[in-house]
Amino acid sequence: MAGHETHHILDLPAFDKPVKLLIVVAPYYKDIADDLVAGARAVAARAGATADLVEVPGALEVPAAIGLAFRMSNYDGFVALGCVIRGETTHYDTVCNDSSRGLMLLGLQGACLGNGILTVETREQAVVRADPAGQDKGGGAAAAALHLIALSRKWAGQTKGIGFKPAGEEFRIAGTGRGPDRA
């Protein structure tokens, strides 16, 4: 049973420059959303990050709002929060798949984000996962965003070599006296 599993959780990264997060939440289930936000804010505070909050109507709008902020703002990272509970129709599948796909595409484009949109079968499952004193999925999403920000900062400014030419080295044609000879 998943309730008896143990998981390894990485320590929060340390930052030498301020970190600014944007939490985007769909408060369709307000009590669950409030717990997710509380967890995300607590983790952000523990890492010394500031966090702004915006609300959107539903989980499908979360990736769109993050995409706008990613292109038009100065946030270092993003936390996606919300809850989708299975109902009687296939709308659940559409919302789960499309919101997740939208967030994944943003991540692949370079947005440092954590996905804390719960996709559950029952309200009870959501309550356990959202509770900051329980599974704290909001805090986990904030931690994921912070870890990606740390990686982004670590790799910022690094360049790759092109072809056989190492980055930063001049290429000299052998025997011409131009640049370092290569054998």
Side-chain angles (χ1 to χ4, degrees):
M1 201 177 231
H4 301 292
E5 296 282 336
T6 58
H7 303 100
H8 176 72
I9 298 175
L10 298 175
D11 292 334
L12 288 177
F15 297 96
D16 57 354
K17 295 178 188 168
V19 174
K20 188 174 177 185
L21 291 175
L22 176 64
I23 299 170
V24 179
V25 63
Y28 189 80
Y29 300 101
K30 183 80 168 113
D31 58 327
I32 294 167
D34 288 347
D35 277 352
L36 290 167
V37 169
R41 284 193 184 277
V43 167
R46 280 202 329 260
T50 60
D52 293 338
L53 176 72
V54 296
E55 295 182 340
V56 295
L60 287 175
E61 290 75 35
V62 172
I66 290 174
L68 288 168
F70 178 58
R71 288 186 299 276
M72 302 168 70
S73 73
N74 64 343
Y75 291 99
D76 298 300
F78 308 92
V79 183
L81 301 176
C83 178
V84 186
I85 301 173
R86 186 179 296 280
E88 297 176 359
T89 69
T90 59
H91 184 64
Y92 170 87
D93 298 314
T94 298
V95 174
C96 293
N97 292 333
D98 290 353
S99 62
S100 178
R101 183 177 301 110
L103 294 172
M104 180 56 68
L105 290 172
L106 286 165
L108 292 172
Q109 292 171 16
C112 298
L113 63 88
N115 182 355
I117 298 177
L118 304 179
T119 55
V120 295
E121 299 292 323
T122 66
R123 169 175 266 287
E124 293 75 27
Q125 290 173 345
V127 168
V128 168
R129 285 160 178 75
D131 184 358
Q135 291 186 14
D136 193 19
K137 296 300 183 179
L146 291 165
H147 281 285
L148 291 172
I149 292 165
L151 285 175
S152 175
R153 289 183 177 183
K154 175 182 176 179
W155 293 326
Q158 295 184 9
T159 60
K160 292 182 178 182
I162 300 172
F164 296 107
K165 178 182 170 187
E169 278 192 34
E170 294 180 24
F171 181 77
R172 187 181 300 197
I173 301 171
T176 64
R178 298 187 321 232
D181 286 336
R182 302 206 185 237

